[in-house]
Amino acid sequence: MARGRLRIYLGAAPGVGKTVAMLDEGHRRLDRGTDVVVGLVETHDRRNTLALTEGLEVVPRARVSHRGTVLEEMDLDRLLERRPQVALVDELAHTNAPGSRHEKRWEDIEELLEAGIDVISTVNIQHLESLNDVVTSITGIVQRETVPDAVVRAADQIELVDMSPEALRRRMAHGNIYAPEKVDAALANYFRVGNLSALRELALLWLADRVDEGLGKYRADHGIDATWPTRERVVVAISGGPEGEVLLRRGARIAARGAGGELLAVHVARTDGLAGPALPDLVALRRLTAELGGSFHTVTGDDLAEAVLDFARGVNASQVVIGSSRRARWRTLLSPSTTEEVITGSGDVDVHVVTHRFAAGRGWRAPRAGLPQRRKRLGYGLAVLGPFVLTELLAALPEDPGLPLTVPLFLLLAVLIALLGGMGPALVGAVASSMFLNWFFTPPVGGFTISAPENAIALTIFVLVAAAVAWVVDRSARRADRALRAQAEAASLAELSHTLLGSTDQMALLLQQALDMFGARAAAVVRRPDAHHRMEMVSTTDPALTLEDVRAPGLPVEEADDEHDLVLVGAAVPAGRQRLLAAFAAHAGAILQRRALQASAGEAAALARDNSARTALLSAVSHDLRTPLAGIKAAIGSLRSSEVTFSPEDEAELEAAIEDSADRLDALIGNLLDMSRLQAGALVAHPRTVDLGEVVPGVVAAVPEPDRVLWDLGPDARSVTADSGLLDRVLGNVVENALRHQQPPWRVRVSTSRLGDRVQIRVCDTGPGVPESERERIFLPFQRHGDAPAGDGVGLGLAVARGLAEAMGGSVSAEDTPGGGLTVVVELPAAEGA
């Protein structure tokens, strides 16, 4: 059976017309003779939407009972039995009622598609999983119902239902979306112009990306390599040199000239991994790319020009920005530069060549490694002495060896010199050997003349062979040196990364590793002085190290970030290890940045908690604190009234109401004060041996309805180390919370038991309980679980109980009551010798 096709109408916000568009499409297909039914449509009591369902067959909904409430959901089984050609199913991200076959409606739709039924559905941009946090930051509302992006992307057709924010707000004001009593609140909150504009942009950009994905797939399926400049994509080729900043900024300006322009930076790394820029340089360029709104990419390849162009064509780029070559002009005569090769092979991709102060070999040079100086000195020595020694040996022979033997021997000497000392000694040795050959062994002997042309050719070839061998040796030596240094750097960085991951004090470990790696006496990270800060020591391996020590001239210093430097004291870092030192500095910068981010996150979390606490406190003051005050005022006003005469029973009832309201007010204020003391760190506990046989009965007697509390103390679990006053508040709050969730005539049970050196006080109820995922949340300030009576307390009881218990060295946790309900466990240290 062929799989059904899915069509989705995507909207930026409720009310843009997704459901209307879906129903219009249903009517259009029905008029065309297609079998169309309405699986489920949410009309939200909108007259226009309801009118569009007329003429369409509607499958009756299934009724699902949950906690005494009957909910209506799409009847999936009846729809599968009906097997229409097309089913209209509204609200793709909807969460089904508990007890349904699937948790989400999109899973129901997936089953319909597998059955070969085409489905038309709707979804708002705020319900996409990948945009959930973005929508929350824009609107301030957390979307609980989400759908995976992959489900929407897999749709055969996605159509955007668009409407300007002003038009949508007019529809709202006319009552076409929400009921009249909700219009003002909606316009002032979710449906603000800024919110709607941001959501509309999200929807447009998301759909544009999906269209771009479809275009890329089409070009790949049809083997189209030519650039289709549907969007202005600018690729900046980055070598890692200092001109990279100039190229990136120029590329960003080019991309910004057109709407929807995109900046992509690409760095081509050699496949052998031996040559390349310093890690901090690439990190800085990556950071700058992100600041300019672009994306940074690294590809590998030995042909730099081909790699850049392949990347540009792969992302369908229209323009490439590349810098002028840094090579000397004479070298471009021998082989074309990368810039010239990119221009030659660009085809229909425009190439911008940007000049800079490092162009044409005038500035920056990559360091070139070579043979060790000791080998070069030995090579020069052999180049000078070798021809003399070989000439003496050949002259000592009884007969003239002739050129057929002499030339190979001198050529062998030149090759040995090249193998030992490289290019410079090889050229010296080749010239010296040719002169000795010419003077002593080539007719006419005793002069720098050659009678036979073939001898001149032989000597020329002799010099060329020596130079070629020397060039190969020199190049191999440089590559071997790079390979060894790269291997050492990779091993060092791998070890460093591995050890840093498992360390709690990463900066101290990094500096200690730097000491071992570079043989320094001390290492430090210092803040550079500027207009706002003096130079200061951030971290060091030697506490006795002073700022004067790290200011000493000649010390190896590497920039860690924009404000800090890594300094080594008592070490000389050779040029070959500068990249490794730069990598250590980059690690130090990352650690500092992570510290700053953690500090910022902590401050932001603290501010968020404070704001949440203030909001909850204002809510408490405006409602929960005013309720008992209003009760007290009403009762006192009634007693003082001269217009009504109350019987003694009525007066006693009013007085009891006053006392009850005053007790509630006292408890609320007490919890607020305790929570303030806990958050301010001003609470001081005075633990001592406390007999639970004295505390528990007093707590039970003080709670409302004490006859509903049963208590039993284990014989070995009666004494704890605690502050009796704080313990009284802890147990009082926990027991009152249990009574609030325990319906009469069921009772709350309090029992104690001992586990090792701890005593557990268990307060058990048989109420509705709390899901495991919600148990930690009930201990947060100003949190009330959903089954608490509305307006009863400010949600501080359990939070205060946990805070007070922890102040006494104990803990408070929650677990299931066997048979149903919640058990709150208060655990305290057992008293010594009890």
Side-chain angles (χ1 to χ4, degrees), residues 737 740-741 768 783-793:
N737 182 76
R740 188 179 299 117
H741 295 83
Q783 297 290 330
R784 286 187 298 219
H785 192 53
D787 50 23
D792 190 4

Side-chain angles (χ1 to χ4, degrees), residues 499-520:
T499 52
L500 288 180
L501 286 175
S503 172
T504 55
D505 190 354
Q506 294 183 334
M507 184 62 76
L509 181 60
L510 175 75
L511 295 180
Q512 188 58 49
Q513 290 280 94
L515 292 186
D516 299 337
M517 186 63 61
F518 300 102

Side-chain angles (χ1 to χ4, degrees), residues 169 277 372 473 530 738 775:
R169 283 172 59 86
V473 170
D530 55 25
R775 286 180 193 160

Side-chain angles (χ1 to χ4, degrees), residues 8-27:
I8 295 176
Y9 286 98
L10 174 68
V16 295
K18 304 179 303 301
T19 304
V20 170
M22 179 184 71
L23 292 172
D24 284 340
E25 178 66 14
H27 279 287

Side-chain angles (χ1 to χ4, degrees), residues 711-747:
W711 56 276
D712 175 38
L713 306 182
D716 59 344
R718 289 178 59 95
S719 298
V720 296
T721 301
D723 186 310
S724 58
L726 299 184
L727 179 58
D728 187 82
R729 295 300 302 275
V730 170
L731 295 180
N733 283 356
V734 173
V735 173
E736 287 183 16
N737 182 76
L739 287 171
R740 188 179 299 117
H741 295 83
Q742 179 73 72
Q743 298 298 323
W746 303 103
R747 297 183 175 185

Side-chain angles (χ1 to χ4, degrees), residues 262-468:
E262 189 175 349
L263 175 68
L264 301 96
V266 58
H267 169 67
V268 181
R270 297 279 189 181
T271 54
D272 55 18
L274 301 182
L279 177 62
D281 295 337
L282 282 181
V283 171
L285 293 174
R286 184 183 295 272
R287 188 185 307 119
L288 178 59
T289 304
E291 292 173 356
L292 294 173
S295 57
F296 194 95
H297 306 266
T298 300
V299 298
T300 57
D302 289 326
D303 190 327
L304 304 184
E306 182 180 357
V308 169
L309 291 173
D310 286 346
F311 176 81
R313 294 191 178 99
V315 298
N316 199 23
S318 56
Q319 303 183 63
V320 170
V321 176
I322 191 168
S324 299
S325 176
R326 292 194 305 263
R327 297 170 59 185
R329 288 188 175 86
W330 65 267
R331 295 186 61 190
T332 60
L333 298 176
L334 302 177
S335 62
S337 65
T338 301
T339 302
E340 294 171 342
E341 291 179 345
V342 169
I343 295 173
T344 302
S346 61
D348 53 358
V349 179
D350 296 338
V351 179
H352 299 264
V353 180
V354 179
T355 59
H356 49 85
R357 63 190 182 91
F358 304 98
R362 293 193 297 267
W364 180 81
R365 282 282 195 280
R368 294 173 61 87
L371 293 171
Q373 291 298 322
R374 180 172 174 273
R375 285 184 58 178
K376 289 184 177 181
R377 288 194 294 269
L378 290 176
Y380 279 115
L382 183 59
V384 173
L385 298 178
F388 284 103
V389 175
L390 182 58
T391 300
E392 289 295 330
L393 292 176
L394 292 174
L397 294 177
E399 297 182 3
D400 182 11
L403 288 179
L405 177 61
T406 307
V407 171
L409 289 176
F410 274 95
L411 180 60
L412 177 62
L413 175 63
V415 170
L416 292 176
I417 295 171
L419 292 174
L420 179 62
M423 181 63 74
L427 293 177
V428 172
V431 172
S433 297
S434 64
M435 294 175 65
F436 273 80
L437 272 173
N438 192 352
W439 183 274
F440 292 103
F441 302 102
T442 303
V445 176
F448 291 109
T449 57
I450 301 175
S451 59
E454 60 271 18
N455 293 337
I457 296 173
L459 289 177
T460 303
I461 295 174
F462 170 83
V463 175
L464 292 177
V465 168

